[in-house]
Amino acid sequence: MKKIILGLFVLSVIAVTVSCKKKKGDDGGDRCGEQEIKVATIPAVNTIDPPAPGTSFPLVVNIETMPVAGASITVTAKEDGGASYFTTTLENALSSNSFTITGTPVGKQCVVDVVVTSKTCNTNQWKGSYRYSAK
């Protein structure tokens, strides 16, 4: 009888421990309790823009869910598999932010990486990229 009671006690302790354990992200665990950053870009992430004339290209980054203390935006453009030729950081992002990517090499597939980071929690980030080229 003592073994049964002891066994039930051990099982109940295990059950309570497992059920009370928070899952990562339940309260923004890796986002310091902040709401997840949500962003939309023009051109859209995960797209391949058709080749266009010129070496300067526009980018709009719209932050749909902004952290309370604000965010920064870093934009980097590079040849696919190569070194970057354009990098800029906007320390005090607004809900809508316009950039012009310059120095695009002609005839090369390029990748633009966009990173939006909370000013108070560097693990609360949004990352996206798209491809484009100059003809």
Side-chain angles (χ1 to χ4, degrees), residues 3 9 79 99 123:
K3 289 182 181 182
F9 176 74
E79 285 186 39
F99 298 90
T123 57

Side-chain angles (χ1 to χ4, degrees), residues 54-109:
T55 58
S56 297
F57 292 87
L59 166 65
V60 177
V61 178
N62 294 315
I63 303 175
E64 297 172 349
T65 306
M66 177 78 76
V68 174
S72 65
I73 302 171
T74 300
V75 176
T76 305
K78 61 184 177 184
E79 285 186 39
D80 195 6
S84 64
Y85 56 84
F86 177 89
T87 299
T88 189
T89 299
L90 178 61
E91 291 297 334
N92 296 306
L94 303 171
S95 57
S96 184
N97 306 273
S98 296
F99 298 90
T100 301
I101 299 168
T102 59
T104 303
V106 176
K108 303 285 184 178
Q109 180 77 349

